[in-house]
Amino acid sequence: MTTASVEQTIPGSAPDFDRCYRAVQARDARFDGQFFVTVRTTGIYCRPSCPAQTPRPHNVAFVLTAAAAQQQGYRACRRCAPDAVPGSSLWNVNADMSARAMRLIADGVVEREGVAGLAARLKYSPRHLNRILTDHLGAGPLALARAHRATNARVLIQCTSLPMSDVAFAAGFASIRQFNDTIRAVFGLTPTELRRLRNRRDRPRSDAASAPGTVALRLPFRSPYRWPWMRWFLSAHAAAGVETVVDDADAPLGWRFKRVIALPHGPAVAEIEPHDDHVGVVLTHLDMRDLGAAVNRVRRLLDLDADITAAEDALADDPTLRTPIEDAPGLRVPGSLDAAEMIIRTMLGQQVSLAAARHQIDRLVDALGQPLHDAGQTEGDLILKAFPTAAAIAADGRDVLRGPRRRIDAVIGVAEALAEGRVEPHVGVDASDLRAQLIELPGIGPWTADIVTMRVTGDPDVLLASDLVVARAAADLGLDLRDTHHWAPWRSYATVHLWRHRLAGAGEDV
């Protein structure tokens, strides 16, 4: 029996030993977060690009999650910090229950609702959920959530000056003792020792250190990243009062994005500053219990966990797509910060121009948006308002929206369904199930259902064939959108390349 076949008998092990080991030998950062390396002789686990000496094949195993490594008794490498990596693209590429569970765990569902709540969202019993996750990922939901809490705790320890007791409860631990024991087990250090290890870039800025509810972070991603495209998309769809793109000559790429985010324990503000190799994020007005959810949602909005090289290599095999991809490598699929908001905003964009849709959205925000603190409070040029809740739109949206009565009735009807829980869109729902739920709602057609599904679930294989811009780009390139099976599972990325190709032809800087 080969080494590879032995390793595949371990629950949660990576499927291809030889491919993983070659990535470790090359210290290939593209695989960071997609699997982890456990080293028997040292008792540590690392990211594939760890700069330490490459261990011998018979001393290593590869697992899909940090929790699986921790479950087997390994501690995190202090040199490469394996928890500070981009997330695995598997959780979006795969539609199975394990992938959907990981998306919900990353959003903090276990901390807020327990394993029973996670199981209910996935329509499984807790016992069956535990069995499947253990078989597929090498760890059950409690262990996976524990790894998530440990990462949140490390961020708070090293990026803030919060007292350790506050860190413990903000990260989701039930007691100080549980917090101390977990940090020692995962990192091999006490919380105080871990704080001493922080490097200069992790130290809180003086203003961040003194401001309650503030934390500054660095979010990694896999290069390349086409930032002009994301800047155009965020600016073109920005809702006045909720979000804005700010030109800033002092910023590394000349701009920043500020946005109010609705989170489980209250709204916060994210200021996002793109860099060539990471994203800087400053979160303010934050209930620290929402740190993990905030980070997860920003990552999903910017599609930071995409395996962009795999997607574009596969699509470039089609000669008709090769030129658009070579012109703009690193294009990402913009995600969603809130599923209900995404549905309402997309409905308001049906069969109207982008400017007309923004006008309606701005009216909703102005009339029904929730001020972050005192009404009228501003931060620079951003009015601090959260996007209106579905309940607020259902109750008062009819007095605010303008246009055909049929469309207004449809928006109000969907808002009522969301507010009453008759539709429960979230990152853990299967993409095909979400699309089917949406299509059943009056006023939602295939175009809306496909955009919402692509952006809420992160499904990489949604082709917006009915989108007018996509159809015109396909005509320009001589593409037949009825024959795109060979693009699977990356048709969402083909969609954004077609979008960008048409916009660039119209003179947009994307």
Side-chain angles (χ1 to χ4, degrees), residues 72-120:
Q72 296 170 28
Y74 293 93
R75 66 167 177 81
C77 175
R78 299 172 194 169
R79 189 168 181 180
C80 71
D83 64 323
V85 294
S88 176
S89 56
L90 290 174
W91 314 140
N92 286 336
V93 173
N94 290 349
D96 60 25
M97 191 273 283
S98 297
R100 291 184 286 119
M102 286 298 293
R103 297 202 294 261
L104 288 170
I105 290 169
D107 201 56
V109 167
V110 173
E111 282 76 19
R112 297 192 299 272
E113 303 174 22
V115 173
L118 174 65

Side-chain angles (χ1 to χ4, degrees), residues 437-491:
Q437 288 180 45
L438 294 172
I439 288 290
E440 290 178 0
L441 296 172
I444 291 185
W447 180 83
T448 298
D450 285 339
I451 286 184
V452 170
T453 298
M454 179 176 74
R455 295 191 61 190
V456 168
T457 68
D459 187 342
D461 200 31
V462 178
L463 179 69
L464 299 183
S466 61
D467 184 87
L468 184 59
V469 175
V470 171
R472 288 175 175 172
D476 291 344
L477 294 167
L479 287 168
D480 183 358
L481 294 180
R482 296 168 299 179
D483 181 25
T484 60
H485 64 279
H486 53 292
W487 294 351
W490 305 112
R491 281 176 278 200

